[in-house]
Amino acid sequence: MSKKTPGKVIVIVAPSGAGKTTIAQRLLRDYPQIKFSVSATTRPPRKGEEHGEDYYFLSDEEFDQKVANEEFLEWEHYSGNKYGTLRSEVDKLVESGYFPLLDIEVKGALNVQELYNSGAVSIFIEPPSMKELKNRLSNRGSETNETLSKRLNRAEMEMQYADHFDYIVVNDNLETAYEEVKEIIESFITD
Ligand code: ADP
Ligand code: 5GP
């Protein structure tokens, strides 16, 4: 983490199932100057996910090699897998004049905040309740009982960190939450 990649980055952070991917996808649709920073992961692809588009899907060995080569801006263990933000990905976007959008978990987001200070805006997407979080994760149909329970345990911990970020947006009604996020983003990218 010694090299500081320049540029301004947008960090969307939330417990799994709170709706950050939904909100991030809307931002990407509405703001051509924002581009998704594709992370690397050792998790297997979900149905419909594409290598290089949703994630770079790597083997454990490939991931560890990139850690050893210091290719990550940050990386973390999450729910039995590893996830990391590639410096090359953020550099490529910044050099092309885009604002990279990072959809990452709490610990990685704290690290990015520390690296960037005012060069990053971080938005914590909060679910209206743990019960609703569980409903959303179950309804998404992406989890087994085991991974669902791991993600919910982790969510309990992640919720404690909400006020470490620049903004908290409660995603109860999606339209209202998205309007709040847009307001934050517009002031950041025009600053
Ligand atoms: P995350 O990326 O934080 O894990 P997702 O964006 O995948 O979360 O959302 C989890 C599930 O909840 C998805 O099925 C999504 O369609 C749904 N969802 C997102 N926002 C809302 C909302 N405000 N109300 C109801 N369901 C929502
Ligand atoms: P999922 O398996 O649901 O795609 O992602 C699990 C969690 O890992 C989510 O909270 C997601 O935001 C986070 N994540 C995705 N990419 C990265 C990354 O590069 N670094 C970190 N720290 N977390 C990530």
Side-chain angles (χ1 to χ4, degrees), residues 14 16 20 39 43 46 55 74 76 78 83-85 103-105 108 140 151:
S16 182
K20 64 184 172 320
S39 291
R43 153 170 96 57
R46 289 183 192 137
Y55 281 106
E74 62 74 36
E76 294 294 337
Y78 180 94
Y83 294 79
T85 306
D103 167 344
I104 61 180
E105 55 65 66
R140 191 169 71 184
R151 280 172 188 250

XYZ file of all heavy atoms in Angstrom, residues 14 16 20 39 43 46 55 74 76 78 83-85 103-105 108 140 151, ligand 2:
188
model
N -21.313 -1.339 1.803
C -22.544 -1.781 2.472
C -22.431 -3.238 2.837
O -21.668 -3.971 2.210
C -23.739 -1.624 1.528
N -23.508 -6.984 2.516
C -24.038 -7.699 1.355
C -25.562 -7.752 1.415
O -26.139 -8.073 2.453
C -23.462 -9.114 1.375
O -23.907 -9.825 0.262
N -26.083 -2.170 -2.758
C -25.053 -1.295 -3.336
C -24.840 -1.559 -4.824
O -24.611 -0.621 -5.575
C -23.743 -1.319 -2.546
C -23.002 -2.610 -2.480
C -21.803 -2.417 -1.577
C -21.079 -3.721 -1.282
N -21.939 -4.885 -1.042
N -12.961 -5.522 -9.729
C -12.088 -6.124 -8.714
C -11.683 -7.528 -9.117
O -12.304 -8.130 -10.005
C -12.842 -6.221 -7.391
O -13.062 -4.956 -6.850
N -13.848 -15.852 -5.572
C -15.192 -16.454 -5.540
C -15.563 -16.929 -6.948
O -15.236 -16.254 -7.928
C -16.182 -15.407 -5.006
C -17.588 -15.608 -5.484
C -18.617 -14.768 -4.807
N -19.016 -13.523 -5.434
C -19.516 -13.376 -6.660
N -19.582 -14.373 -7.502
N -19.899 -12.177 -7.066
N -21.152 -15.990 -10.390
C -22.583 -16.306 -10.312
C -23.100 -16.373 -11.732
O -22.478 -15.864 -12.665
C -23.341 -15.180 -9.594
C -23.045 -15.118 -8.142
C -23.879 -14.011 -7.455
N -23.376 -13.795 -6.125
C -23.193 -12.609 -5.555
N -23.487 -11.499 -6.213
N -22.726 -12.524 -4.339
N -16.081 -9.131 -12.377
C -14.855 -9.375 -11.601
C -13.823 -9.977 -12.547
O -14.161 -10.505 -13.609
C -15.105 -10.442 -10.510
C -15.802 -9.956 -9.263
C -17.135 -10.284 -9.020
C -15.122 -9.208 -8.303
C -17.788 -9.860 -7.854
C -15.764 -8.789 -7.135
C -17.085 -9.113 -6.927
O -17.715 -8.693 -5.771
N -5.798 -2.462 -2.306
C -6.255 -3.069 -1.045
C -6.814 -4.428 -1.393
O -7.236 -4.650 -2.518
C -7.312 -2.201 -0.355
C -8.624 -1.973 -1.128
C -9.556 -3.160 -1.175
O -9.623 -3.889 -0.167
O -10.210 -3.379 -2.205
N -8.985 -7.994 0.753
C -9.520 -8.519 2.015
C -10.070 -9.926 1.822
O -10.428 -10.316 0.713
C -10.695 -7.636 2.508
C -10.318 -6.226 2.904
C -9.419 -6.120 4.126
O -9.408 -7.052 4.958
O -8.710 -5.106 4.238
N -13.240 -12.212 2.542
C -14.673 -11.985 2.773
C -15.412 -13.285 2.524
O -15.321 -13.842 1.420
C -15.207 -10.885 1.833
C -16.676 -10.610 2.014
C -17.121 -9.597 2.853
C -17.619 -11.405 1.363
C -18.472 -9.378 3.043
C -18.971 -11.188 1.553
C -19.383 -10.178 2.388
O -20.725 -9.955 2.573
N -10.926 -10.801 -2.075
C -11.379 -9.769 -3.005
C -10.360 -8.636 -2.965
O -9.933 -8.241 -1.881
C -12.719 -9.186 -2.565
C -13.899 -10.124 -2.596
C -14.110 -11.057 -1.581
C -14.818 -10.064 -3.635
C -15.210 -11.905 -1.602
C -15.931 -10.905 -3.662
C -16.117 -11.824 -2.649
O -17.205 -12.654 -2.667
N -10.026 -8.065 -4.127
C -9.079 -6.963 -4.105
C -9.262 -5.973 -5.242
O -9.696 -6.332 -6.345
N -8.908 -4.723 -4.944
C -8.931 -3.648 -5.939
C -7.568 -3.583 -6.607
O -6.551 -3.392 -5.936
C -9.207 -2.288 -5.253
O -10.401 -2.397 -4.480
C -9.346 -1.173 -6.267
N -16.985 -0.812 -5.583
C -18.066 -1.469 -4.810
C -17.351 -2.498 -3.941
O -17.038 -3.590 -4.396
C -19.035 -2.094 -5.823
C -20.039 -3.068 -5.207
O -19.846 -3.534 -4.061
O -21.025 -3.383 -5.887
N -17.034 -2.114 -2.702
C -16.175 -2.969 -1.863
C -16.714 -3.071 -0.434
O -17.576 -2.296 -0.042
C -14.695 -2.485 -1.871
C -14.542 -1.080 -1.326
C -14.134 -2.553 -3.279
C -13.094 -0.586 -1.330
N -16.191 -4.049 0.299
C -16.700 -4.238 1.666
C -16.010 -3.250 2.632
O -15.104 -2.510 2.239
C -16.620 -5.721 2.102
C -15.270 -6.375 1.997
C -14.256 -5.784 2.902
O -14.423 -5.918 4.130
O -13.265 -5.198 2.404
N -11.962 -2.921 3.322
C -11.280 -2.384 2.140
C -11.620 -0.914 1.961
O -10.756 -0.100 1.619
N -32.547 -12.724 -3.570
C -31.615 -12.595 -4.701
C -31.277 -13.979 -5.254
O -30.895 -14.119 -6.410
C -30.350 -11.849 -4.245
C -29.456 -11.446 -5.394
C -28.353 -10.492 -4.964
N -27.354 -11.165 -4.144
C -26.325 -10.550 -3.563
N -26.182 -9.245 -3.706
N -25.458 -11.223 -2.839
N -22.714 -14.346 5.425
C -22.883 -12.946 5.020
C -23.667 -12.155 6.083
O -23.361 -10.995 6.354
C -23.558 -12.868 3.647
C -22.574 -13.111 2.532
C -23.195 -13.236 1.167
N -22.165 -13.654 0.219
C -21.642 -12.892 -0.745
N -22.091 -11.686 -0.943
N -20.674 -13.359 -1.520
P -19.986 -10.470 -3.736
O -19.470 -11.857 -3.513
O -21.403 -10.296 -3.205
O -19.836 -10.009 -5.164
O -19.073 -9.478 -2.883
C -18.872 -9.704 -1.523
C -18.338 -8.440 -0.877
O -17.018 -8.173 -1.367
C -19.180 -7.207 -1.200
O -19.315 -6.440 -0.006
C -18.338 -6.487 -2.217
O -18.588 -5.085 -2.209
C -16.949 -6.803 -1.712
N -15.885 -6.573 -2.696
C -15.958 -6.682 -4.043
N -14.788 -6.348 -4.594
C -13.961 -6.000 -3.581
C -12.609 -5.517 -3.517
O -11.922 -5.337 -4.506
N -12.104 -5.268 -2.290
C -12.828 -5.435 -1.154
N -12.230 -5.133 -0.003
N -14.093 -5.872 -1.168
C -14.655 -6.148 -2.372
